[in-house]
Amino acid sequence: TTFPSGLKIYYQSVLNKLRTYQITSEYSELNQSARPSNFVLIIDEINRGNVSQIFGELITLIEPDKRIGGAEEILVTLPYSKEAFGVPSNLYIIGTMNTADRSVEALDTALRRRFSFVPMMPMPEQLSSNCENIDLKALLETINKRLTVLKDKDHTIGHAWLWNIHTLNDLRAVFKDKVMPLLQEYFYNDYEKLGLVLGSRFVEEEHTGDQNIFANFPLGNAMRNQYSHKRVLTITDPSTWDAEAFQHIYVPKSTSP
């Protein structure tokens, strides 16, 4: 059988697995104690996919009353195997999505009606309060409070990046390779806002504008003068990010240990 591009490496194996579950007319008569174990299907980044291709005809079948044993049970004929197929009541479907990603369109209304949307906010309480004298919990809480003001709650940073941090070197690497690039993207390289989040130990002045750096161009409206005192900011060298630098993010300098 020939399958559409993108599905051929998954379709047959998924179909074969589904065939191992026996669907009988007796299923609807089973009482709750006799029902089989629950199963969970997780679709990661569901808002990045083509929902109509992900679910197809099954978009109706996942409704509680349309499932096998439901009040309005429906079976469909699969397009390739031509076999009857229904969705059992013991299957739970979870779709994950990042609401901060505005590059994808809003989810289809039909999908919204069939799913409950549960926000999963950062959980800093899961983090260590002492990683080489750095309170990761307070660190993440402080950064997210500032991001909420400068952006919104959808742009707060999850706790997963700091979950397995055990040393200062681990933390420095995460900030260098993940946190800092993310903040640069959030603020479109507006280093002043980045400095408001992390402080002067992470953002410094590279140089102040000098009108003499511009080419000789006497025409125009003297725009060169507008940049004569402009400060150009840059990220500090990651090797200088010691424990005190991270402490200064969540503790005022005057009271820092």
Side-chain angles (χ1 to χ4, degrees), residues 194-205:
L194 201 153
L196 290 175
V197 174
L198 301 179
S200 58
R201 294 294 301 271
F202 293 85
V203 179
E204 64 182 357
E205 181 178 329

Side-chain angles (χ1 to χ4, degrees), residues 46 90 118-119 160 235:
I46 190 172
N90 64 325
V118 181
I235 297 174

Side-chain angles (χ1 to χ4, degrees), residues 125-143:
E125 64 275 7
Q126 299 289 329
L127 303 176
S128 171
S129 59
N130 186 2
C131 174
E132 296 195 20
N133 296 322
I134 301 171
D135 189 338
L136 298 180
K137 174 178 178 292
L139 178 69
L140 184 63
E141 285 180 337
T142 302
I143 289 176

Side-chain angles (χ1 to χ4, degrees), residues 2 27 29 50 84 87 100 116 123 138 180 183 193 206 214-215 241-242 250-251 253:
T2 301
Y27 182 90
E29 301 175 0
N50 186 319
V87 177
S116 297
M123 295 184 286
M180 199 65 77
L183 295 180
K193 289 183 178 179
E206 185 174 30
F214 297 115
W241 301 346
D242 54 16
Y250 58 90
V251 180
K253 185 175 182 180

